[in-house]
Amino acid sequence: RQQEKIRNFSIIAHIDHGKSTLADRILEYTGALSDREMQDQFLDSMDLERERGITIKLQSVRLPYKAKNGQEYILNLIDTPGHVDFTYEVSRSLAACEGALLVVDAAQGVEAQTMANVYLALDNDLEILPVINKIDLPSADPERVRQEIEDLIGLDASDAVLASAKSGIGIEDILEQVVAQVPAPSGDPEAPLKAMIYDSLYDAYKGVITYIRVVDGSIKKGQKVRMMATGKEFEVTEVGVFAPRPLARDELSVGEVGFMVASIKNVKDTRVGDTITDAKRPADAALAGYRRINPMVFCGMYPVDSSDYDDLREALEKLELNDASLRFEPETSGALGFGFRCGFLGLLHMEIIQERIEREFDIPLITTAPSVVYKVYKTDGEVMSIENPTHMPPSQKIDYVEEPYVKASIMVPNDYVGTVMELCQTKRGDYVDMRYLDANRVNVVYQLPLAEIVYDFFDQLKSGTKGYASFDYEMIGYKASKLVKMDILLNGESVDALSFIVHQDKAYHRGRLFVEKLKELIPRQMFEVPIQATIGNKVVARETIRAQRKNVLAKCYGGDISRKRKLLEKQKEGKKRMKAVGNVEVPQEAFMAVLQMD
Ligand code: GDP
Ligand code: MG
């Protein structure tokens, strides 16, 4: 039976260990792409992913493979993102698989995200096949890494394939292991249809395209189906597979991975994680849904041009469709007008959404500084969740404030342990544990406020350890902290979008740095602009932007016309990202400046 010849698997790895390169080699080896079509990192299809060298959206591809035993197999490779912000997407794609290749760099060894990914794979009961990659590197030490996989992860690594995705070594062995060790899908072909939506995409012509894994039964063109969570029914207009380009088929049967189109015009009618069933012969119960992940970082997104507001809403709705972790709701700011409060998994996630809105939807944005969610216990007994510093009640009404904490594991070579501990200390961390992984690597564990991590912790960690540290974290809950709200006044008026929440001990320092930074960033205006940082009614720092002395264009009169045009062009460029706050022009960078302040 065909079902026994299907293998659904993912590749998991710490970032940069070679997952995308290995996926490319596998595509090449199975002949899924002609040479002409072959371009590096096919699975990383979004422009942004290519530029940043990261994988954000999961993609899948169906590969025919003739094994050494002479049998033809169908391998469905489902790509997963590697960054710590995207754990949720990893677990979504893993739920569609029976096995995972665990790629470990032969020089770097097991890293923090190697561990995190292994836990996710184990949660999904996957068969894990270790692959030791980059054995071509002079610094490769495959035997040490094999030992690490056994000691740190507890997997039997005696059969781990030694591979070089770059030079194409070990690819056949890997595929043979997939065929031999990853179980075939176990669903019942006669049972009522159950298909899991693991991703989706909006197409202007076809409507919502759902990416599905058929768990039981089969799905055909013309079939009437029901979405079990929303109860909405549709007629299937198209099913197909990714080969790797979309290829229409009459039917997807049990165990298969592919796509379904059903003239679904409303983005809200399909949910990632929902189960599709037959409308006439529905299944009794839906498949276990995905764990819903709450966003951890919030910021305001405002169109630079307020007439883009509706387009921005539409863009967010479309992005939300295949990004279950993105949240947004309308908000208004005194300074910035109408916009949205958006929730993200982390800073990278936030940056990517922002860039996609600007590039794919062509909407210039002003983004406010990110904030975590604080719990405010008021003196009258009320407990508030504050995701926007503006909504912080006045201090006399606050009993105490709690902030989210994470447990961070940092793996680092011996020599940098001091640097890492110092960094954690300045980020208000509480030391938990330190353990030697081998003779020269250490796992350092700290509890840290999430707010400190979302700022520039990762960048500082990387630069402080010359890129050698790897890092992963998990939420552990809330703890009381001495936090205060800092307000910023421009020209005597409080600018809500510049407010931020800060630990008391750091407040003066940050306030001072912030006003200095603002003075640098805000261009001179026709009049003098005082900048003040205040806590309650107390001014903690003050700077003044002096007035512009003369019109820059004046000196061009009678002079070089092209120079004048250039100046105007340049001003227009700058204007794009300026927002008039009261009568002061404030550039985008000012709203984010609070991030670069340690
Ligand atoms: P990902 O982040 O896990 O997807 O990693 P990539 O596939 O993007 O690879 C990260 C870097 O490692 C790239 O510069 C690759 O060219 C390089 N790389 C991947 N596999 C190998 C390998 O087998 N040997 C060597 N020397 N470099 C590799
Ligand atoms: Mg990649």
Side-chain angles (χ1 to χ4, degrees):
R1 277 161 52 222
Q2 195 212 10
Q3 185 177 351
E4 280 150 22
K5 299 289 166 53
I6 298 176
R7 299 291 182 272
N8 297 319
F9 71 105
S10 282
I11 308 179
I12 52 178
H14 186 78
I15 197 149
D16 279 347
H17 282 199
K19 190 184 55 184
S20 301
T21 312
L22 179 62
D24 286 344
R25 285 300 90 74
I26 291 177
L27 259 63
E28 217 171 53
Y29 191 87
T30 54
L33 291 179
S34 66
D35 286 346
R36 195 169 44 80
E37 284 175 314
M38 190 68 209
Q39 44 183 161
D40 274 351
Q41 311 215 327
F42 177 82
L43 290 175
D44 295 348
S45 58
M46 242 184 316
D47 282 353
L48 256 174
E49 296 183 341
R50 278 169 188 283
E51 280 168 32
R52 293 176 175 238
I54 51 168
T55 310
I56 309 156
K57 287 311 297 179
L58 42 104
Q59 304 276 349
S60 70
V61 51
R62 177 190 176 98
L63 310 161
Y65 177 64
K66 187 164 183 181
K68 279 184 180 158
N69 64 12
Q71 309 263 12
E72 294 273 357
Y73 290 85
I74 294 161
L75 311 182
N76 290 306
L77 166 57
I78 297 175
D79 200 19
T80 60
H83 191 274
V84 55
D85 273 11
F86 297 100
T87 305
Y88 176 78
E89 307 236 318
V90 178
S91 67
R92 276 163 53 184
S93 48
L94 294 184
C97 298
E98 277 80 29
L101 296 174
L102 173 68
V103 176
V104 184
D105 185 316
Q108 303 289 330
V110 171
E111 301 274 11
Q113 286 159 44
T114 313
M115 304 292 281
N117 280 310
V118 166
Y119 295 136
L120 291 174
L122 292 174
D123 280 348
N124 284 287
D125 290 327
L126 303 192
E127 180 70 32
I128 301 174
L129 308 176
V131 172
I132 300 174
N133 186 37
K134 304 200 190 181
I135 56 161
D136 60 291
L137 288 177
S139 53
D141 188 354
E143 289 316 312
R144 175 181 64 87
V145 173
R146 201 193 291 275
Q147 198 59 46
E148 268 187 18
I149 295 173
E150 303 213 331
D151 295 347
L152 301 179
I153 304 179
L155 282 177
D156 176 6
S158 52
D159 290 335
V161 178
L162 301 186
S164 166
K166 193 172 173 188
S167 11
I169 300 168
I171 310 302
E172 186 182 35
D173 290 347
I174 291 170
L175 295 178
E176 287 295 319
Q177 283 200 356
V178 168
V179 164
Q181 291 178 39
V182 175
S186 63
D188 178 355
E190 306 305 327
L193 168 68
K194 269 189 195 174
M196 176 184 64
I197 306 178
Y198 70 88
D199 200 359
S200 61
L201 183 92
Y202 189 84
D203 180 276
Y205 300 103
K206 297 183 173 179
V208 178
I209 300 174
T210 56
Y211 293 21
I212 58 172
R213 151 82 197 255
V214 181
V215 175
D216 280 322
S218 60
I219 186 166
K220 302 179 192 45
K221 192 172 161 174
Q223 186 174 355
K224 198 109 192 269
V225 292
R226 179 186 303 161
M227 306 292 160
M228 293 187 83
T230 61
K232 291 274 164 52
E233 297 190 357
F234 301 95
E235 189 179 306
V236 178
T237 56
E238 199 180 334
V239 291
V241 295
F242 300 99
R245 316 266 170 218
L247 182 71
R249 294 254 310 259
D250 293 334
E251 179 183 71
L252 289 180
S253 57
V254 68
E256 287 198 288
V257 174
F259 64 89
M260 180 208 70
V261 181
S263 313
I264 304 167
K265 291 298 174 203
N266 192 342
V267 164
K268 295 217 164 73
D269 291 340
T270 47
R271 272 191 213 146
V272 167
D274 196 3
T275 304
I276 302 176
T277 192
D278 190 278
K280 294 204 196 80
R281 190 167 75 110
D284 295 338
L287 297 161
Y290 292 99
R291 201 156 41 107
R292 198 177 157 83
I293 295 248
N294 287 322
M296 305 223 268
V297 178
F298 288 79
C299 79
M301 283 190 170
Y302 293 83
V304 172
D305 181 345
S306 50
S307 66
D308 281 340
Y309 178 79
D310 287 327
D311 292 341
L312 176 57
R313 182 209 309 278
E314 224 168 274
L316 285 166
E317 278 171 0
K318 284 182 181 155
L319 291 171
E320 182 193 34
L321 172 69
N322 64 358
D323 186 338
S325 37
L326 171 67
R327 301 288 157 76
F328 63 94
E329 55 184 54
E331 94 173 349
T332 36
S333 151
L336 299 176
F338 293 101
F340 296 92
R341 192 80 193 162
C342 304
F344 308 93
L345 299 174
L347 273 199
L348 178 67
H349 187 210
M350 175 179 123
E351 281 171 32
I352 283 166
I353 294 294
Q354 182 191 341
E355 273 191 60
R356 290 189 65 186
I357 289 172
E358 297 197 331
R359 283 197 206 187
E360 292 168 31
F361 300 91
D362 202 20
I363 305 170
L365 291 178
I366 296 279
T367 324
T368 64
S371 164
V372 300
V373 183
Y374 296 96
K375 276 194 190 152
V376 176
Y377 293 79
K378 289 172 57 186
T379 47
D380 64 6
E382 193 192 349
V383 184
M384 297 172 76
S385 279
I386 301 285
E387 47 191 58
N388 181 345
T390 316
H391 299 149
M392 194 82 160
S395 58
Q396 64 273 19
K397 294 201 169 158
I398 297 175
D399 185 7
Y400 64 99
V401 182
E402 287 182 345
E403 64 178 327
Y405 264 71
V406 301
K407 188 173 122 191
S409 290
I410 301 157
M411 293 190 181
V412 67
N414 263 347
D415 299 351
Y416 297 106
V417 169
T419 316
V420 168
M421 293 181 75
E422 211 171 289
L423 175 63
C424 290
Q425 228 68 53
T426 55
K427 298 294 187 183
R428 302 191 280 127
D430 297 324
Y431 172 84
V432 178
D433 183 33
M434 188 167 98
R435 199 160 58 91
Y436 276 82
L437 301 173
D438 55 36
N440 45 38
R441 279 206 315 156
V442 181
N443 188 26
V444 183
V445 181
Y446 264 86
Q447 292 189 355
L448 288 154
L450 176 64
E452 298 289 342
I453 292 204
V454 304
Y455 283 20
D456 53 357
F457 181 81
F458 196 47
D459 290 341
Q460 286 193 33
L461 180 69
K462 281 282 174 198
S463 60
T465 62
K466 304 213 161 50
Y468 280 114
S470 69
F471 164 66
D472 191 55
Y473 64 83
E474 59 179 325
M475 286 289 301
I476 51 168
Y478 277 76
K479 286 193 193 185
S481 277
K482 289 187 184 138
L483 298 163
V484 292
K485 184 174 105 175
M486 180 89 69
D487 290 312
I488 301 296
L489 279 62
L490 287 184
N491 213 9
E493 282 190 47
S494 171
V495 180
D496 56 0
L498 289 175
S499 296
F500 60 98
I501 290 168
V502 60
H503 193 268
Q504 222 169 49
D505 297 346
K506 292 189 167 186
Y508 281 83
H509 181 64
R510 284 230 171 125
R512 171 114 298 280
L513 286 178
F514 195 35
V515 295
E516 280 167 12
K517 191 92 197 168
L518 288 177
K519 183 182 174 186
E520 250 171 60
L521 290 172
I522 298 174
R524 288 189 184 190
Q525 321 273 323
M526 301 308 285
F527 45 88
E528 192 175 275
V529 180
I531 311 170
Q532 292 158 296
T534 63
I535 297 173
N537 292 324
K538 198 166 156 215
V539 177
V540 299
R542 183 193 159 108
E543 287 284 346
T544 305
I545 306 170
R546 279 181 300 140
Q548 195 173 44
R549 263 198 234 105
K550 51 180 171 239
N551 186 343
V552 279
L553 283 182
K555 55 175 168 251
C556 297
Y557 280 124
D560 182 352
I561 189 80
S562 79
R563 175 153 170 260
K564 181 172 155 193
R565 196 174 297 128
K566 252 187 220 147
L567 248 158
L568 282 170
E569 283 298 318
K570 215 166 144 199
Q571 286 192 340
K572 222 165 75 194
E573 263 303 288
K575 280 264 161 50
K576 261 203 333 223
R577 291 301 205 91
M578 291 276 193
K579 193 88 188 176
V581 173
N583 48 7
V584 182
E585 293 263 298
V586 182
Q588 157 74 46
E589 296 81 81
F591 295 97
M592 299 295 277
V594 71
L595 292 184
Q596 311 142 10
M597 278 191 325
D598 274 311

